[in-house]
Structure formats: structure tokens, C-alpha cells
Amino acid sequence: MRYAKCVIIPDDEGLHPLDRRIADHPDVTRELLYNVNLLADETIVALYRFSGKRTVLESILSESPMVNQYQLSSADGEHHAYIHLEAHDRLVGLLSMLRQFEFIYDTPLEFTRRGGLRVTMIGDVKSFQAAVPDVPDGIRLKLLKTGRYEPNTDRLFSQLTARQQEILRTAVDMGYYDVPRAVTHDDIGEELGCTGGTVGGHLRKIESTILTQIVP
């Protein structure tokens, strides 16, 4: 089983009008795209994770004529959004191409700082080459690497919030998980400018997220 890791890079119009509008707003950040599916009527359902102001996000979703319906779930400044979108030629074309060439994409998909979407596509190597000419106008695929597909820790790490990733990196770098343990929650908090209690709370959530997915 092979994979191709690439970045989907849309032009200034974006992959979809709603996605472009959210990307352009300074008070909302697209974090992850957990899933996106093309339905039989060519409408689209997607599950996002956003950060930022919920009121702003709700305003964008409720006012957009491209949104059929949506549901939001929020906690700790992170918002999970199920969105049913109207059809749009560019995104429909991209999803149709993935289906035509029988690709499976590993989730979640990550947004890059420059507005692209980093995706790992799993399938036949020859299909990757054949699919390139069928990429819709206004979208460019930047190939990062190919190889044999094996699930790894990147997927788990990407599911953490940006703040959780920062705290976990700092804890590991400072020796919190060394044996014997080299630092305390307070030491990490001093490095990050927060309390030891805040660090402990984040680490417990991080450990819950990761460990519940690796224990059979």
C-alpha cells in the first residue's frame, strides 16, 4: 500500500466560497478538516475544527447562502463544526477526482499557514500520476513525498490543539517524561508563562486524547 503526501493549493478563490470567507477572517482559524464527503446530489458535508470567536463563526455560517445547515460543538476555545454545503464546481471536481481514481485520504487534513491543505492520499502509485491532469482549474497539487503507507504518530499529534502541541513539545524537551522525571508542572509553566495547574490540566487532556486511541 502506497501513499502520496501533498499540499492542495487553491488560488485566491479558495476551494469553496465559505472556506475562503472563513480563511480571510482574522477572528477565526481553520485548524483541521476531519472529513469531507461528496453526496449523490453533489452537495458536500464536512467536519471542521476551528479556533477563535464562536460568535463570529456562527455569524459567517448562518449568513452564508452556501450553507444548508450546520451544527457547532465548542470547548476550550475550539469549535467542531458539521457543515452541509451547497455544491461548488471546484470542490466537487476535486472530490470527484479522488473518487474516480479510488484514493483514500488519511484524516485529519491539516491547513497550512499559507492557506493550503496538507493531505496524505493512499492508493495505487500509477493513479497518482494519472490523476494530476484531472486536478480542477485553480488548484495546484504540490507533492511532498511518497512511500509505503504505515500509520504513524503524526496523525495523533495533529489532533491536539496548537496550545496542547506547544505544551507537549515543551514538556518533552524539558525532560518531563524522562525517567527519572527532570522537571515539574511548575517548571514547565514558568517556561510557558502559565501556572503549573494549567500545564497539568493540559497534559491530562493530551494523555487522554492519545492513550485512548492506542490502547486496544
Side-chain angles (χ1 to χ4, degrees), residues 16 18 33-48 66 68-71 81-87 91-92 95 105:
H16 189 280
L18 175 71
L33 180 57
Y34 283 109
N35 214 331
V36 56
N37 288 318
L38 181 64
L39 304 183
D41 61 358
E42 293 196 341
T43 60
I44 299 155
V45 289
L47 180 62
Y48 281 88
M66 300 298 291
N68 287 330
Q69 64 169 314
Y70 72 90
Q71 297 178 35
Y82 167 87
I83 309 173
H84 183 192
L85 297 164
E86 283 290 336
L91 187 52
V92 168
L95 294 174
Y105 49 87

Side-chain angles (χ1 to χ4, degrees), residues 108-166:
L109 287 65
E110 302 173 65
F111 290 97
T112 68
R113 293 182 179 180
R114 296 185 178 182
L117 191 60
R118 187 179 296 108
V119 56
T120 299
M121 295 190 296
I122 306 160
D124 181 69
V125 173
K126 294 180 180 179
S127 295
F128 298 139
Q129 300 168 346
V132 172
D134 285 5
V135 174
D137 292 340
I139 296 176
R140 180 166 60 92
L141 287 183
K142 180 181 179 181
L143 182 64
L144 302 179
K145 63 179 180 178
T146 64
R148 181 177 178 179
Y149 177 73
E150 295 179 0
N152 55 44
T153 56
D154 289 348
R155 179 177 178 182
L156 289 176
F157 189 72
S158 70
Q159 293 184 50
L160 303 177
T161 67
R163 182 57 168 168
Q164 288 174 340
Q165 290 180 2
E166 179 186 24

